[in-house]
Short mmCIF file of all heavy atoms in Angstrom, two decimals:
data_model
loop_
_atom_site.label_atom_id
_atom_site.label_comp_id
_atom_site.label_asym_id
_atom_site.label_seq_id
_atom_site.Cartn_x
_atom_site.Cartn_y
_atom_site.Cartn_z
N TYR A 1 -53.63 26.50 81.81
CA TYR A 1 -53.88 26.73 80.38
C TYR A 1 -55.06 27.69 80.26
O TYR A 1 -56.10 27.48 80.87
CB TYR A 1 -54.19 25.43 79.64
CG TYR A 1 -54.60 25.68 78.19
CD1 TYR A 1 -53.65 26.05 77.24
CD2 TYR A 1 -55.93 25.58 77.79
CE1 TYR A 1 -54.02 26.30 75.92
CE2 TYR A 1 -56.31 25.82 76.49
CZ TYR A 1 -55.34 26.18 75.56
OH TYR A 1 -55.71 26.43 74.26
N GLN A 2 -54.88 28.73 79.47
CA GLN A 2 -55.92 29.75 79.31
C GLN A 2 -56.13 30.02 77.82
O GLN A 2 -55.17 30.29 77.10
CB GLN A 2 -55.51 31.04 80.01
CG GLN A 2 -56.56 32.14 79.96
CD GLN A 2 -56.07 33.41 80.61
OE1 GLN A 2 -55.06 33.97 80.20
NE2 GLN A 2 -56.78 33.87 81.62
N GLN A 3 -57.36 29.93 77.39
CA GLN A 3 -57.71 30.26 76.01
C GLN A 3 -58.79 31.33 76.02
O GLN A 3 -59.80 31.21 76.72
CB GLN A 3 -58.20 29.03 75.26
CG GLN A 3 -58.49 29.32 73.77
CD GLN A 3 -59.05 28.10 73.06
OE1 GLN A 3 -60.15 27.66 73.36
NE2 GLN A 3 -58.29 27.56 72.12
N LYS A 4 -58.57 32.36 75.24
CA LYS A 4 -59.52 33.47 75.19
C LYS A 4 -59.74 33.85 73.74
O LYS A 4 -58.78 34.07 72.99
CB LYS A 4 -58.99 34.66 75.98
CG LYS A 4 -59.95 35.83 76.07
CD LYS A 4 -59.38 36.95 76.93
CE LYS A 4 -60.35 38.11 77.08
NZ LYS A 4 -59.78 39.20 77.91
N LYS A 5 -60.99 33.93 73.35
CA LYS A 5 -61.35 34.36 71.99
C LYS A 5 -62.37 35.48 72.08
O LYS A 5 -63.30 35.42 72.88
CB LYS A 5 -61.96 33.20 71.19
CG LYS A 5 -61.00 32.06 70.90
CD LYS A 5 -61.69 30.98 70.07
CE LYS A 5 -60.75 29.84 69.74
NZ LYS A 5 -61.41 28.79 68.90
N TYR A 6 -62.15 36.50 71.28
CA TYR A 6 -63.10 37.60 71.25
C TYR A 6 -62.96 38.35 69.93
O TYR A 6 -61.99 38.17 69.18
CB TYR A 6 -62.91 38.55 72.45
CG TYR A 6 -61.57 39.23 72.50
CD1 TYR A 6 -61.36 40.49 71.92
CD2 TYR A 6 -60.49 38.64 73.15
CE1 TYR A 6 -60.13 41.12 71.96
CE2 TYR A 6 -59.26 39.26 73.21
CZ TYR A 6 -59.09 40.50 72.61
OH TYR A 6 -57.87 41.12 72.66
N SER A 7 -63.92 39.17 69.67
CA SER A 7 -63.92 39.96 68.43
C SER A 7 -64.36 41.37 68.74
O SER A 7 -65.23 41.61 69.58
CB SER A 7 -64.83 39.33 67.38
OG SER A 7 -66.17 39.27 67.85
N GLU A 8 -63.73 42.31 68.06
CA GLU A 8 -64.09 43.72 68.14
C GLU A 8 -64.18 44.26 66.72
O GLU A 8 -63.16 44.41 66.04
CB GLU A 8 -63.05 44.51 68.95
CG GLU A 8 -63.15 44.30 70.45
CD GLU A 8 -62.21 45.22 71.22
OE1 GLU A 8 -61.05 45.34 70.80
OE2 GLU A 8 -62.66 45.84 72.20
N GLY A 9 -65.39 44.49 66.28
CA GLY A 9 -65.58 44.93 64.91
C GLY A 9 -65.15 43.84 63.94
O GLY A 9 -65.63 42.70 64.00
N ASN A 10 -64.21 44.16 63.05
CA ASN A 10 -63.73 43.20 62.06
C ASN A 10 -62.48 42.46 62.51
O ASN A 10 -61.88 41.72 61.74
CB ASN A 10 -63.44 43.93 60.74
CG ASN A 10 -64.69 44.53 60.13
OD1 ASN A 10 -65.78 43.95 60.23
ND2 ASN A 10 -64.55 45.70 59.49
N ILE A 11 -62.06 42.66 63.75
CA ILE A 11 -60.84 42.04 64.25
C ILE A 11 -61.20 40.85 65.14
O ILE A 11 -61.93 40.98 66.12
CB ILE A 11 -59.99 43.04 65.06
CG1 ILE A 11 -59.62 44.24 64.19
CG2 ILE A 11 -58.74 42.37 65.60
CD1 ILE A 11 -58.87 45.32 64.93
N ASN A 12 -60.69 39.66 64.76
CA ASN A 12 -60.88 38.45 65.55
C ASN A 12 -59.56 38.12 66.26
O ASN A 12 -58.51 38.01 65.63
CB ASN A 12 -61.29 37.29 64.65
CG ASN A 12 -62.62 37.53 63.98
OD1 ASN A 12 -63.57 37.98 64.62
ND2 ASN A 12 -62.70 37.24 62.68
N VAL A 13 -59.65 37.97 67.57
CA VAL A 13 -58.45 37.75 68.38
C VAL A 13 -58.58 36.45 69.15
O VAL A 13 -59.64 36.13 69.69
CB VAL A 13 -58.22 38.91 69.37
CG1 VAL A 13 -56.97 38.66 70.22
CG2 VAL A 13 -58.09 40.23 68.62
N GLU A 14 -57.49 35.69 69.19
CA GLU A 14 -57.42 34.47 69.98
C GLU A 14 -56.11 34.44 70.75
O GLU A 14 -55.03 34.60 70.17
CB GLU A 14 -57.53 33.22 69.10
CG GLU A 14 -57.41 31.92 69.89
CD GLU A 14 -57.52 30.69 69.00
OE1 GLU A 14 -57.98 30.83 67.85
OE2 GLU A 14 -57.14 29.59 69.45
N ASN A 15 -56.19 34.24 72.06
CA ASN A 15 -55.00 34.12 72.90
C ASN A 15 -54.95 32.71 73.50
O ASN A 15 -55.92 32.26 74.12
CB ASN A 15 -55.02 35.14 74.05
CG ASN A 15 -54.87 36.56 73.54
OD1 ASN A 15 -54.14 36.83 72.61
ND2 ASN A 15 -55.59 37.49 74.16
N ASN A 16 -53.82 32.02 73.31
CA ASN A 16 -53.60 30.71 73.91
C ASN A 16 -52.37 30.82 74.82
O ASN A 16 -51.24 30.95 74.33
CB ASN A 16 -53.37 29.64 72.85
CG ASN A 16 -54.60 29.44 71.97
OD1 ASN A 16 -55.69 29.23 72.48
ND2 ASN A 16 -54.42 29.51 70.67
N ASN A 17 -52.59 30.79 76.12
CA ASN A 17 -51.50 30.97 77.08
C ASN A 17 -51.34 29.71 77.91
O ASN A 17 -52.31 29.16 78.44
CB ASN A 17 -51.78 32.15 78.01
CG ASN A 17 -51.87 33.46 77.24
OD1 ASN A 17 -51.19 33.66 76.24
ND2 ASN A 17 -52.71 34.37 77.71
N LEU A 18 -50.09 29.26 78.03
CA LEU A 18 -49.76 28.08 78.84
C LEU A 18 -48.68 28.48 79.85
O LEU A 18 -47.60 28.93 79.47
CB LEU A 18 -49.26 26.94 77.96
CG LEU A 18 -48.85 25.65 78.68
CD1 LEU A 18 -50.06 25.05 79.40
CD2 LEU A 18 -48.25 24.66 77.70
N ILE A 19 -49.01 28.34 81.14
CA ILE A 19 -48.05 28.63 82.20
C ILE A 19 -47.59 27.29 82.76
O ILE A 19 -48.35 26.56 83.40
CB ILE A 19 -48.67 29.50 83.31
CG1 ILE A 19 -49.08 30.86 82.73
CG2 ILE A 19 -47.70 29.69 84.46
CD1 ILE A 19 -49.80 31.75 83.71
N LEU A 20 -46.31 26.94 82.50
CA LEU A 20 -45.74 25.68 82.93
C LEU A 20 -44.86 25.88 84.16
O LEU A 20 -44.23 26.92 84.32
CB LEU A 20 -44.89 25.07 81.80
CG LEU A 20 -45.65 24.60 80.56
CD1 LEU A 20 -44.67 24.26 79.45
CD2 LEU A 20 -46.51 23.39 80.89
N GLY A 21 -44.79 24.88 84.99
CA GLY A 21 -43.89 24.93 86.14
C GLY A 21 -44.19 26.08 87.07
O GLY A 21 -43.27 26.64 87.68
N SER A 22 -45.46 26.47 87.17
CA SER A 22 -45.83 27.51 88.13
C SER A 22 -45.52 26.99 89.53
O SER A 22 -46.18 26.06 90.02
CB SER A 22 -47.31 27.86 87.99
OG SER A 22 -47.70 28.81 88.93
N THR A 23 -44.51 27.54 90.17
CA THR A 23 -43.94 26.94 91.37
C THR A 23 -43.89 27.92 92.53
O THR A 23 -43.49 29.07 92.37
CB THR A 23 -42.52 26.43 91.09
OG1 THR A 23 -42.56 25.51 90.00
CG2 THR A 23 -41.94 25.72 92.31
N LEU A 24 -44.29 27.45 93.70
CA LEU A 24 -44.11 28.17 94.95
C LEU A 24 -43.35 27.26 95.91
O LEU A 24 -43.80 26.14 96.20
CB LEU A 24 -45.45 28.57 95.57
CG LEU A 24 -45.39 29.24 96.94
CD1 LEU A 24 -44.66 30.59 96.85
CD2 LEU A 24 -46.79 29.44 97.51
#
């Protein structure tokens, strides 16, 4: 699970990424 939040100027960005069943 990866969550990333950042802002550039007036733009607020949030990424919520979930990698399920990562299998080798």
Side-chain angles (χ1 to χ4, degrees):
Y1 174 73
Q2 183 183 59
Q3 184 183 66
K4 184 177 182 181
K5 294 182 179 181
Y6 62 92
S7 60
E8 284 187 315
N10 296 325
I11 301 176
N12 297 315
V13 179
E14 178 180 344
N15 292 323
N16 296 308
N17 298 327
L18 179 62
I19 298 176
L20 292 170
S22 177
T23 303
L24 176 64

